[in-house]
């Protein structure tokens, strides 16, 4: 069990090890990293947990190809299987050995060393990027990138590019003189000449590019699949491109094949599996594969959502399904979807009698092809379908669109949307709070109600007789007195204002501050900036003040919560939470 625990510790260390090494072990005797708790150092042990190489290292890697990268302090070296340093501990970083060579950083510069610690390539590069699965590495010198072959110890491309980005094991994107191109990794020759202005990767293997103001496509092996032809190419979460040419639009696949001819006035971004298309000033719909399943014929149209779409036929709006059948007849001058696309609100043409009460239709989908309609004076668009605010007989009610009935029979003069199972309502000039069952959490006895949170607990700051009262979530008074203002302050404090003076209290009503203040910062900071006797200080959670300062204001620094900025009116300076001036 102890050995298993030791191996677990080793695995945990390797997750954070900043030297890179290949997993595996090829020494004649299996060696594993081993941490000595007493010495607080790493060494190597055999499979029985017996120490073989003494623990003298800060960090170690597993053995690979008879070598292990180790670290002492902040520097790295390489051990052989007998624990001998074949590469001295003198490098900031050593990467994986490949072909008996490894990249090592010394003095902030990268070079190539062999497995004996000899320099193969001098430390002269400010950056490098090894190409996975190959013997090639991009190296950066004097701000320019070149391609180096480790196996043959020679440059394929001498440093000359300002950008080098690997596209695949076969080629890379490069930049020279502000223009982009693609080079191969065999001899550095151009697959695409450096005359590209811009590129954008649109899939793991496809890149769109701009050349001379036109857009085309090439892949990650540097092959052009679509010559630069189009004014723009845009992809929206699918394997389909919207192409624009001479103010006409069409659809392409990622290889540049035409799915929908470039002959449309407009193609909306992909939405819910379909594209909304416009031709000859009318709208229709196409699939992601470019099949037009609803020919352009509607004066106006919205995108499909949940299998239906709002469309305008002649002068009136209705709702169609994917079969282009009207599931809601076009009888409305307007139809608007709710905020969550759960229901709709439609307005029929104005009634002949101008004195009649305006009516709106609540349109609720039961399925994608079955809707029911209910008429009310007003309908809110910002609610969930289970608590839609509707107005009838000049009172607001909550309507359950799923159940097709009122949630409860109580009507209100004003009704706010539900949030966290509560809603604020008004009867006459009085405000209260109800729950989803229509029961009062707070009876409408207050001129105003504010819902406040302190941690996970909910409180209510209510106004009665022009004074504030703090109630808990059951409606019980927290503080016996009423105040001009009440502000909750984490973790369990309350700022209160009475007779135009502020003080700091605890939730149990215990007074913390021994002084009263003409100003107390309303934001949730601690210690809190306060003012008394025309001077400023910081007041901590125990009611202790820092030294009073003549100032115009004290505010917490937006960039550092431990620092406060004092403004004297002529200059500013910083203080810490103890009120001490910072240099």
């Amino acid at each position: 069990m102890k050995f298993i625990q030791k191996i677990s510790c080793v695995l945990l260390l390797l997750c954070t090890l900043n030297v890179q090494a290949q997993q595996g072990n090829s020494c004649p005797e299996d060696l594993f990293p081993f941490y000595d708790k007493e010495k607080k150092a790493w060494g190597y042990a055999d499979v029985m947990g017996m120490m073989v190489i003494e623990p003298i290292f800060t960090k170690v890697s597993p053995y690979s190809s008879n070598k292990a990268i180790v670290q002492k302090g902040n520097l790295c070296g390489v051990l052989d299987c007998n624990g001998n340093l074949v590469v001295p501990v003198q490098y900031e970083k050593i990467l994986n050995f490949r072909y008996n060579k490894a990249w090592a950083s010394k003095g902030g510069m990268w070079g190539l060393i062999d497995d004996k610690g000899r320099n193969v390539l001098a430390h002269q590069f400010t950056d490098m990027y090894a190409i996975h699965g190959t013997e090639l590495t991009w190296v950066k010198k004097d701000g320019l990138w070149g391609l180096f072959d480790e196996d043959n110890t020679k440059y394929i491309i001498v440093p000359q590019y300002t950008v080098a980005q690997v596209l695949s094991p076969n080629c890379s994107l490069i930049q020279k003189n502000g223009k982009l191109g693609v080079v191969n990794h065999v001899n550095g020759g151009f697959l695409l000449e450096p005359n590209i202005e811009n590129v954008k990767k649109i899939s793991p293997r496809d890149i769109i590019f701009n050349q001379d103001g036109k857009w085309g496509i090439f892949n990650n092996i540097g092959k052009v699949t679509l010559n630069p032809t189009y004014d723009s190419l845009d992809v929206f979460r699918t394997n389909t491109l919207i192409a624009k040419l001479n103010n006409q639009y069409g659809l392409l696949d990622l290889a540049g094949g035409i799915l929908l001819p470039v002959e449309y006035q407009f193609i909306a971004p992909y939405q819910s599996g379909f594209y909304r298309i416009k031709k000859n000033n009318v709208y229709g719909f196409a699939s992601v594969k470019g099949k037009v399943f609803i020919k352009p014929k509607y004066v106006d149209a919205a995108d499909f959502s949940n299998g239906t779409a709002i469309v305008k036929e002649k002068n009136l709006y209705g709702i169609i399904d994917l079969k282009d059948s009207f599931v809601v007849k076009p009888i409305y001058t307007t139809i608007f979807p709710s905020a969550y696309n759960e229901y709709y609100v439609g307005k029929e043409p104005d009634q002949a009698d101008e004195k009649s009460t305006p009516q709106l239709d609540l349109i609720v989908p039961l399925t994608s092809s079955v809707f029911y309609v209910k008429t009310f004076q007003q309908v809110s668009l910002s609610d969930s379908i289970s608590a839609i605010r509707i107005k009838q007989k000049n009172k607001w009610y909550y309507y359950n669109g799923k159940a097709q009935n009122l949630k409860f029979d109580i009507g209100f003069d004003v009704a706010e949307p539900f949030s966290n199972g509560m809603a604020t309502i008004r009867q006459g000039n009085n405000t209260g709070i109800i729950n989803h069952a229509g029961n009062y959490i707070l009876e409408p006895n207050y001129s105003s109600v504010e819902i406040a949170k302190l941690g996970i607990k909910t409180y209510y700051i209510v106004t009665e007789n022009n004074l504030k009262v703090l109630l808990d979530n059951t409606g019980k008074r927290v503080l016996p007195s009423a105040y001009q203002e009440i502000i909750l302050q984490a973790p369990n404090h309350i700022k209160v204002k009475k007779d135009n003076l502020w003080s700091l209290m605890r939730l149990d009503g215990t007074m913390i501050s021994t002084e009263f203040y003409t100003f107390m910062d309303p934001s949730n900071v601690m210690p809190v900036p306060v003012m008394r006797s025309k001077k400023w200080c910081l007041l901590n959670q125990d009611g202790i003040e820092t030294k009073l300062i003549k100032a115009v204001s004290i505010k917490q620094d937006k960039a550092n919560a431990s620092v406060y900025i004092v403004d004297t009116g002529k200059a500013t300076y910083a203080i810490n939470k103890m009120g001490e001036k910072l240099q």
Side-chain angles (χ1 to χ4, degrees), residues 3 25 29-32 45-50 52:
F3 179 69
N25 178 28
E29 182 177 16
D30 287 337
L31 297 176
F32 299 92
D46 60 21
V47 293
M48 302 303 295
M50 300 299 294
V52 176

Side-chain angles (χ1 to χ4, degrees), residues 340-353:
Y340 306 105
N341 287 315
E342 293 181 300
Y343 60 91
Y344 303 87
V345 176
K347 184 179 184 298
E348 294 189 39
D350 292 338
Q351 298 147 340
D353 184 1

Side-chain angles (χ1 to χ4, degrees), residues 447-448 462-469 482-485:
S447 55
S448 70
V462 301
T463 303
E464 59 179 9
N465 300 322
N466 295 319
L467 291 176
K468 306 281 187 181
V469 177
Y483 299 90
Q484 290 169 278
E485 296 288 344

Side-chain angles (χ1 to χ4, degrees), residues 34-43 51 55-58:
F34 184 95
Y35 184 68
D36 190 310
K37 291 183 179 180
E38 293 183 2
K39 294 183 178 180
K40 297 181 179 181
W42 287 87
M51 189 66 68
I56 59 173
F57 302 106
T58 308

